[in-house]
Amino acid sequence: MSAISLVCGLGNPGDEYRLTRHNLGFMVLDRLAERRRLEWRRAPGPALETAVRMGGRIVRLLKPQTMMNLSGRALASLGGADHRSILVVCDDINLPLGLVRFRLRGGSGGHRGLESIVGALGDENWPRLRLGVGSPPSADRWSDWVLEPFPAEDEPAVDRMIDEAVAGLELAVRRGLDAAMQAHNRRAGEAADGENPA
């Protein structure tokens, strides 16, 4: 399995979207960058980028600066690269709030950002880290749901999820995706190591 060399967090640029459910990918990379005191800069394509040393090598971090449904444009130049070395971080309405799940490959699940990346790279054979935001109250509200900020009562769970996602991607880089999946892929209702289930 290829070592992770690029982590792409998905979101929408602009302050009005900064704290919305759809911007969890940005939030995870921003948390990592803050802890490592990294500075974002303009990438050659439509993205912000920085780099971090993990696992004895340099890993590129990328935040596309298109709107979500055009996220693939930031990765279009990687068409000939080994896509298994790209880890995409995004929200997922099909997972309960707070659940973190790594996948080695797969479809978009209706996520427009993932659809755009599939189109840009030409396949679905790249890993992703999906973060549960829960389902909207009705199926016809999902597009509004992901563009709304988390309610105040959800913020502690969201903060824990972002911390777990950062720990998970660091583990994926250092020890591989299998190790990250074993440590972080849980079913709803299970506690992570060290969590109080009560």
Side-chain angles (χ1 to χ4, degrees), residues 182-195:
Q182 289 177 13
H184 295 278
N185 284 11
R186 300 177 276 125
R187 293 184 298 273
E190 290 182 343
D193 290 343
E195 282 185 6

Side-chain angles (χ1 to χ4, degrees), residues 145-158:
W145 177 257
V146 295
L147 294 177
E148 293 172 357
F150 290 97
E153 61 267 25
D154 288 349
E155 289 175 4
V158 173

Side-chain angles (χ1 to χ4, degrees), residues 96-179:
L97 177 69
L99 208 64
V100 170
R101 184 144 312 157
F102 284 90
R103 286 287 179 260
L104 298 180
R105 65 187 63 82
S108 69
H111 192 290
R112 299 286 172 78
L114 297 182
E115 286 177 5
S116 178
I117 293 174
V118 169
L121 298 182
D123 65 52
E124 299 175 343
N125 297 319
W126 34 271
R128 63 283 318 262
L129 171 53
R130 303 181 81 143
L131 310 176
V133 297
S135 300
S138 59
D140 61 349
R141 277 208 61 224
W142 74 266
S143 58
D144 293 329
W145 177 257
V146 295
L147 294 177
E148 293 172 357
F150 290 97
E153 61 267 25
D154 288 349
E155 289 175 4
V158 173
D159 193 59
R160 288 192 298 270
M161 176 170 56
I162 292 171
D163 278 344
E164 184 179 352
V166 169
L169 74 84
E170 289 180 325
L171 181 61
V173 169
R174 290 194 174 103
R175 293 180 48 202
L177 283 159
D178 284 343

Side-chain angles (χ1 to χ4, degrees), residues 19-152:
L19 299 177
T20 62
R21 294 179 175 93
H22 233 7
N23 272 41
L24 268 174
F26 281 8
M27 293 179 202
V28 169
L29 294 197
D30 284 338
R31 178 75 54 90
L32 175 60
E34 180 183 354
R35 288 180 177 174
R36 299 294 187 102
R37 297 180 180 170
L38 307 174
E39 293 187 7
W40 294 99
R41 59 186 177 274
R42 280 282 170 189
L48 296 176
E49 68 176 354
T50 189
V52 60
R53 179 173 290 278
M54 284 193 288
R57 64 185 189 282
I58 300 297
V59 176
R60 186 179 173 205
L61 307 180
L62 196 72
K63 296 194 300 183
Q65 295 298 288
T66 60
M67 298 307 286
M68 177 66 80
N69 62 355
L70 298 175
S71 297
R73 290 184 179 178
L75 297 175
S77 63
L78 303 174
D82 183 352
H83 301 163
R84 295 171 300 174
S85 68
I86 302 167
L87 176 64
V88 176
V89 185
C90 66
D91 60 294
D92 191 337
I93 64 170
N94 298 308
L95 291 178
L97 177 69
L99 208 64
V100 170
R101 184 144 312 157
F102 284 90
R103 286 287 179 260
L104 298 180
R105 65 187 63 82
S108 69
H111 192 290
R112 299 286 172 78
L114 297 182
E115 286 177 5
S116 178
I117 293 174
V118 169
L121 298 182
D123 65 52
E124 299 175 343
N125 297 319
W126 34 271
R128 63 283 318 262
L129 171 53
R130 303 181 81 143
L131 310 176
V133 297
S135 300
S138 59
D140 61 349
R141 277 208 61 224
W142 74 266
S143 58
D144 293 329
W145 177 257
V146 295
L147 294 177
E148 293 172 357
F150 290 97

